[in-house]
Amino acid sequence: MVTGDDLYNVMCAMVPLYFAMLVAYASVKWCKMFTPQQCSGVNRFVAVFAIPVLSFHFISINNPYEMDAKFIIADTLSKLVVLFFLFLWAIFFASGSLDWLITLFSLATLPNTLVMGIPLLQAMYGQFTQGLMVQLVVLQCIIWYTLLLFLLEYRAATLLIKTEFPGDTAASITKIEVDGDVISLDGHDVPLQTQSETDTHGRISVRIRRSISSAPDSTSSIGNAVITPRHSNLTNADIFSINTPLHLLDGDPSFGYPPASPRLSGCASSDAYSLQPTPRASNFNETEVTAGTPVWGRSPVGGGRVSRQMSPGKCQVEERQGCKDITQSDKEISFRDNIKVSMPGEEAADTTARNQKMPHAFVMIRLILTVVGRKLSRNPNTYSSVLGLVWSLISFKWNMEMPSLIKASIKIISDASLGMAMFSLGLFMALQPRIIACGTKRAAMGMAIRFVCGPLVMSASSIVIGLRGDKLHTAIVQAALPQGIVPFVFAREYGLHPDILSTGVIFGMLVSLPITLLYYILLGL
């Protein structure tokens, strides 16, 4: 039975975290104490230092030789069950798709375990829950986020191949090489181009590289596909928001930053926990801007149906070069459903899409693993999780203590990490034009999946595996934690339902405390 003292202990653990979030929200929303650039600096500290050091700290002090096998199997089983049924839905039902599979999997199975789960569950059920939550954090960082990246890169690869090699052409691809500076296939961070060569047997070799400001001099038998560089409409402000007001697109001195520079384009993909990706230099060459530069009308849906206006002269040049422009939807505009606009030749394009062939599975897997490996190698959380696990294996095996100098250096950052993470969330909330970005219907759907379906699946899996008592309660409550930050960052980076994941992070954070308290009370009856 849950007593008043138990509830007070939970509030003592959680109210300070929410206080940090509220202070950050008020400092930006009402007091105007931080500019967007300053918010970006705070967030970058959290993404590059605070969260990785916090992960290392918790993982390094957790004994890997005493991991709870039943708890881990129950969590893994719940995620696999959700993934299995989503795959069935995507394959056998017309309403299913890979896009929604990824989004719904993120909503149902990937909570904010590190920042919210550890302090909350420690206050509810005791110190032993820290080890359980750390085990889940390790699995999230090493397995589930990697799987999520794999699915997102697979989606980006299929879109790229369908665009560049429609119909039966893609089936002849036997080799795909990716330049070393390409770390994603989604084409949002940096425009990409493909170059292809066909041998005497009809086998096609493809090279994916960053696009240049003009098409290559020569073409192959298939032709090179180039994403034409363009002026970026990203400023230092609209990188922070899902739906940035239009008056901020060209710079607003009242926010303390200059107008947008065409040299800033894209987002740094290394910030796995970053809520505001940092702008970086584009390979765009300003001297190449002419009157014939294409103007893209972007669809607000992640699928990316686009229209183009181009001067006749430019179009003729591109036809002679065998190049075609492609793009994907913009991440920085509203992601609500749009009205489908019929375009010339759309029926023929739909027929081609239905008859689309893909390269051999080995070629696709090799391509995706290459890109995913590069993204993980640029993620500081990958190193913190692996190093923490390695150190814990060594220290608990041979009873080694970390040198006091290193231990104190890590502790001074990790002690501030929880508060800084919540402060960063408050800054993110304040920079959004609205808390519910995806509309009430989708928000209700997302909250139901996050706080009802996820715990139900987890409870069923835990009971089947044999969890009982406080461990069962811990498993259920951790499944009802708010939406994890990393899935939202990935959704934003790949332009896949970021409005839904943003609502899950912001609104979910606000309602999660009363919901988890309700679970705590009901499970204690």
Side-chain angles (χ1 to χ4, degrees):
M1 184 70 179
V2 177
T3 64
D5 290 339
D6 295 330
L7 292 177
Y8 181 74
N9 290 334
V10 173
M11 297 301 292
C12 287
M14 299 309 297
V15 167
L17 296 179
Y18 279 87
F19 177 76
M21 185 175 69
L22 179 61
V23 167
Y25 182 86
S27 65
V28 173
K29 196 73 172 181
W30 301 318
C31 301
K32 311 296 182 184
M33 296 174 63
F34 293 97
T35 65
Q37 296 97 323
Q38 292 168 338
C39 293
S40 178
V42 172
N43 176 262
R44 189 157 182 82
F45 168 78
V46 172
V48 177
F49 292 103
I51 293 298
V53 171
L54 183 66
S55 299
F56 176 85
H57 169 69
F58 279 124
I59 295 172
S60 63
I61 63 175
N62 182 65
N63 190 345
Y65 301 102
E66 296 179 358
M67 298 181 72
D68 193 308
K70 285 188 175 181
F71 193 87
I72 293 174
I73 293 173
D75 179 75
T76 303
L77 179 61
S78 67
K79 290 177 169 59
L80 293 178
V81 167
V82 171
L83 197 59
F84 174 74
F85 282 105
L86 287 176
F87 266 117
L88 292 181
W89 173 65
I91 293 172
F92 296 107
F93 291 86
S95 58
S97 66
L98 179 61
D99 290 9
W100 280 108
L101 181 152
I102 296 171
T103 300
L104 295 180
F105 177 74
S106 300
L107 283 172
T109 64
L110 299 176
N112 193 343
T113 306
L114 179 63
V115 176
M116 292 289 293
I118 292 178
L120 177 65
L121 289 165
Q122 274 186 336
M124 286 182 174
Y125 297 111
Q127 185 66 27
F128 79 95
T129 59
Q130 176 179 308
L132 298 179
M133 293 301 101
V134 169
Q135 294 167 23
L136 298 188
V137 169
V138 173
L139 293 179
Q140 277 188 350
C141 292
I142 296 178
I143 297 178
W144 301 115
Y145 291 156
T146 303
L147 175 62
L148 188 61
L149 265 179
F150 186 92
L151 293 174
L152 288 166
E153 286 296 339
Y154 174 78
R155 170 182 174 269
T158 55
L159 290 175
L160 181 65
I161 289 173
K162 288 177 181 178
T163 304
E164 310 307 327
F165 304 95
D168 297 334
T169 305
S172 302
I173 297 176
T174 58
K175 184 179 181 182
I176 302 178
E177 294 182 349
V178 185
D179 280 8
D181 57 354
V182 175
I183 60 172
S184 179
L185 301 176
D186 70 316
H188 282 106
D189 285 352
V190 178
L192 304 176
Q193 73 175 25
T194 60
Q195 295 178 330
S196 57
E197 295 180 357
T198 306
D199 62 15
T200 56
H201 299 286
R203 293 173 297 191
I204 301 174
S205 297
V206 178
R207 178 186 178 190
I208 301 175
R209 56 182 296 183
R210 291 191 181 194
S211 70
I212 53 178
S213 55
S214 60
D217 295 333
S218 60
T219 60
S220 65
S221 58
I222 299 297
N224 299 334
V226 182
I227 305 176
T228 303
R230 59 181 177 87
H231 279 294
S232 172
N233 65 347
L234 298 183
T235 69
N236 286 342
D238 51 292
I239 59 173
F240 296 92
S241 174
I242 291 293
N243 302 291
T244 303
L246 293 178
H247 72 276
L248 298 181
L249 293 178
D250 293 324
D252 187 348
S254 65
F255 275 76
Y257 59 90
S261 167
R263 297 291 296 178
L264 293 177
S265 177
C267 305
S269 59
S270 62
D271 298 343
Y273 278 83
S274 179
L275 292 174
Q276 306 94 5
T278 305
R280 57 184 166 137
S282 169
N283 62 351
F284 175 74
N285 185 353
E286 292 94 313
T287 62
E288 297 294 331
V289 179
T290 65
T293 301
V295 179
W296 294 95
R298 292 179 178 269
S299 162
V301 173
R305 187 181 299 279
V306 298
S307 60
R308 177 176 65 171
Q309 298 175 354
M310 182 181 289
S311 63
K314 179 70 174 178
C315 185
Q316 292 173 3
V317 170
E318 291 196 351
E319 288 177 359
R320 289 196 301 269
Q321 291 177 333
C323 301
K324 57 183 177 180
D325 290 316
I326 62 171
T327 188
Q328 297 185 26
S329 61
D330 200 329
K331 297 180 290 184
E332 303 301 331
I333 59 180
S334 175
F335 289 86
R336 293 177 180 272
D337 285 336
N338 67 317
I339 300 175
K340 183 178 179 179
V341 179
S342 298
M343 300 175 64
E346 186 173 352
E347 293 183 1
D350 291 340
T351 302
T352 302
R354 286 193 297 269
N355 298 327
Q356 176 69 43
K357 302 294 184 181
M358 297 299 292
H360 192 273
F362 175 78
V363 177
M364 291 291 292
I365 292 174
R366 181 175 178 271
L367 169 65
I368 296 167
L369 289 178
T370 299
V371 178
V372 169
R374 291 177 184 177
K375 291 185 76 70
L376 291 176
S377 68
R378 289 164 172 80
N379 182 358
N381 293 282
T382 302
Y383 297 101
S384 66
S385 299
V386 173
L387 289 176
L389 184 59
V390 169
W391 173 254
S392 64
L393 288 170
I394 294 173
S395 63
F396 286 98
K397 179 69 173 179
W398 289 286
N399 295 320
M400 294 177 59
E401 288 289 336
M402 185 178 295
S404 299
L405 184 64
I406 299 176
K407 187 176 181 179
S409 300
I410 293 174
K411 187 176 184 298
I412 197 170
I413 297 180
S414 65
D415 287 347
S417 297
L418 280 178
M420 288 299 300
M422 295 299 291
F423 192 88
S424 178
L425 279 172
L427 297 178
F428 172 68
M429 290 173 60
L431 289 165
Q432 305 306 305
R434 54 184 180 273
I435 293 178
I436 300 178
C438 60
T440 55
K441 183 177 179 180
R442 288 189 171 183
M445 176 197 73
M447 294 302 102
I449 293 173
R450 173 70 267 154
F451 295 113
V452 179
C453 295
L456 283 177
V457 176
M458 186 65 191
S459 61
S461 301
S462 301
I463 292 172
V464 169
I465 295 302
L467 291 183
R468 298 292 186 271
D470 285 346
K471 287 186 179 180
L472 174 61
H473 300 167
T474 300
I476 296 173
V477 174
Q478 72 85 24
L481 294 171
Q483 178 61 46
I485 300 171
V486 175
F488 161 69
V489 175
F490 288 161
R492 178 187 177 88
E493 181 180 345
Y494 289 87
L496 182 60
H497 304 135
D499 53 346
I500 297 177
L501 273 299
S502 170
T503 302
V505 171
I506 299 174
F507 189 67
M509 187 67 69
L510 298 176
V511 302
S512 66
L513 183 57
I515 290 176
T516 51
L517 284 176
L518 179 61
Y519 274 109
Y520 181 47
I521 294 171
L522 293 177
L523 292 170
L525 295 177

